[in-house]
Amino acid sequence: MSPAKPVGPVGPVSPVGPGSSGSPVRPVGPVKAVLFDRDGTLVHDVPYNGDPERVRPVEGAREAVALLRARDIRVGVVTNQSGVARGLISGTDVRRVNRRIDDLLGPFDVWAICPHGPDDGCHCRKPQPGLVLWAAGRICTDPADCVVVGDIGADTEAAARAGAHGILVPNARTRPEETEAAAHTAPDLLTAVRSLLDDPALDGPAYDGPAPGGPHDGGARSGQRPATTAPAPSGEAPDPCRRPS
């Protein structure tokens, strides 16, 4: 694996989306929310885990999340859980695991979960942007003021597609090409968060096509069809700023 690239300012990048002018996107201001991938980022990856007793936070996770809360930065989780669609775990299993994570790390402001399989054609399954957009909306935060922290290319690609910013924290499952493609990397979760707090000047995101690798879904990697359906998040914490539909 290549050495991790430090978090911090990089050169100008192109804006997200069709019809963009090619001018640089503004750097993110003070970070207002950090959205974490779950398996392999906040907790050790146990494929298709439905057992709360098997939840083990990664080193530094508790401190990293506490640092953000101390700065009044909102925290959330965006996670693919295709084990639900595959019949390997239930939605109740996912919620039980999520509650255990809340117990261990403190309650998150929002949980956004994609229960779909790789062939379901949803727009929430990372690397699609639906989970990031939904989570940002639930906590009334512009995606441009959000940072997504994950361990594979699908996490940072979902961030870029949503107009958010991404930091890759590589682990043993991260492919070398994913690390090379990431605009911002950190060697571990705590370093990623401390770098954001010390120097939040991440340049704006750019989406230039699929990132290497596939989406994390609690145990599997695979492709993604075009988005057609809405996300089905569950287990989220109460959101005091949610607007009536």
Side-chain angles (χ1 to χ4, degrees):
M1 182 180 299
S2 302
K5 290 170 282 186
V7 177
V10 297
V13 294
S14 301
V16 174
S20 57
S21 64
S23 58
V25 176
R26 66 175 178 84
V28 67
V31 175
K32 296 181 180 178
V34 176
L35 305 174
F36 296 94
D37 171 57
R38 196 188 84 173
D39 304 304
T41 300
L42 278 177
V43 299
H44 290 285
D45 188 12
V46 177
Y48 306 118
N49 184 30
D51 182 359
E53 295 304 315
R54 301 184 71 188
V55 172
R56 297 289 184 272
V58 303
E59 184 177 356
R62 190 191 307 271
E63 185 178 353
V65 176
L67 284 173
L68 293 169
R69 293 190 179 111
R71 298 285 188 93
D72 293 323
I73 295 172
R74 306 199 69 176
V75 291
V77 181
V78 288
T79 176
N80 290 351
Q81 294 297 323
S82 75
V84 177
R86 299 171 195 265
L88 300 173
I89 54 175
S90 68
T92 298
D93 292 331
V94 174
R95 288 188 290 273
R96 290 172 63 234
V97 168
N98 293 346
R99 283 195 294 269
R100 178 61 175 162
I101 295 171
D102 276 342
D103 290 342
L104 293 171
L105 301 180
F108 287 86
D109 296 301
V110 62
W111 283 88
I113 299 140
C114 173
H116 304 118
D119 297 323
D120 288 345
C122 69
H123 80 264
C124 47
R125 180 177 166 84
K126 294 178 290 185
Q128 298 294 335
L131 288 183
V132 177
L133 293 171
W134 188 90
R138 286 283 288 178
I139 55 177
C140 305
T141 303
D142 192 308
D145 297 321
C146 295
V147 175
V148 178
V149 181
D151 65 321
I152 65 171
D155 300 314
T156 53
E157 183 179 337
R161 289 187 179 201
H165 307 263
I167 298 176
L168 186 73
V169 180
N171 57 33
R173 289 177 54 85
T174 312
R175 295 171 177 165
E177 59 266 31
E178 293 174 326
T179 303
E180 285 299 317
H184 304 283
T185 67
D188 55 65
L189 192 62
L190 186 54
T191 299
V193 167
R194 283 176 170 164
S195 298
L196 275 176
L197 297 177
D198 292 342
D199 185 0
L202 293 175
D203 280 332
Y207 176 62
D208 296 319
H216 221 313
D217 59 9
R221 295 170 177 262
S222 54
Q224 171 70 39
R225 288 174 53 193
T228 58
T229 58
S234 58
E236 65 273 5
D239 180 16
C241 73
R242 185 184 181 191
R243 298 178 181 176
S245 55

